[in-house]
Amino acid sequence: MRIAALGFTLLIVGMAVFAYTLVQLISGAALDSQTKIPGTVTAEIAAAGRYYVWDNHWTTFDGERVKYAADWPEDAMVVVRDVDGAELEFVPDASQNWSIGNNEKTSIGYVDVPTATTIQLGIADAGRDRIVTVSNRSMKQELWSRLWGFAVAVAL
């Protein structure tokens, strides 16, 4: 009797985890902190590495669905500074694109950060209000971050 009750409980928990993961995927919520630009974007950098700046052109921001063309202007200005005010090199790179569920983003460029710090990105001439994030996750890492719930649900 106890084994049947435990099995039923695990089945219900597995279905709940599956449903939660599916809702998060469909809602298009970003995994990283989003900022509306033009303006300044602040990002906490936990470890050295390459951090991409993403134009989240299909996402949910402040509870609203946002969708616009992935047409980042070539003449947009991006200036990156560390916590001490030193400028870090920003490399324009629109070669990365990621889409899953109701979420799509295209890279604007990247910055190689030599140590854990806080960076500020000044972004101007972007052509319209846009939603951006800063992340060092690879697409594979982001996929697993989004789909872990399905694996847990199946295991349960």
Side-chain angles (χ1 to χ4, degrees):
M1 185 69 157
R2 287 183 186 178
I3 293 176
L6 177 63
F8 182 72
T9 302
L10 288 176
L11 179 66
I12 297 299
V13 170
M15 290 185 338
V17 169
F18 183 89
Y20 175 78
T21 303
L22 185 61
V23 167
Q24 290 299 313
L25 187 62
I26 292 171
S27 74
L31 295 177
D32 300 299
S33 177
Q34 297 180 317
T35 305
K36 184 181 262 189
I37 60 155
T40 302
V41 177
T42 302
E44 297 290 328
I45 305 300
R50 178 165 289 175
Y51 287 79
Y52 277 87
V53 182
W54 296 94
D55 180 10
N56 296 275
H57 48 87
W58 186 17
T59 189
T60 301
F61 181 73
D62 284 346
E64 291 183 36
R65 293 293 302 146
V66 177
K67 188 173 183 179
Y68 52 84
D71 58 351
W72 186 263
E74 290 183 24
D75 59 345
M77 298 291 296
V78 179
V79 177
V80 183
R81 297 192 185 280
D82 67 12
V83 73
D84 298 323
E87 189 170 333
L88 301 173
E89 181 184 7
F90 177 79
V91 179
D93 179 2
S95 67
Q96 305 288 320
N97 181 277
W98 171 247
S99 175
I100 187 169
N102 284 328
N103 187 311
E104 184 173 7
K105 61 187 181 179
T106 303
S107 62
I108 297 166
Y110 63 86
V111 59
D112 289 319
V113 182
T115 185
T117 187
T118 299
I119 60 172
Q120 287 194 332
L121 297 90
I123 302 175
D125 300 327
R128 69 162 63 91
D129 287 350
R130 296 175 185 270
I131 310 301
V132 298
T133 55
V134 178
S135 176
N136 68 339
R137 290 180 223 248
S138 69
M139 290 181 200
K140 180 179 176 182
Q141 290 168 325
E142 186 157 335
L143 178 64
W144 281 113
S145 294
R146 290 187 178 277
L147 300 180
W148 70 268
F150 292 130
V152 171
V154 168
L156 288 172

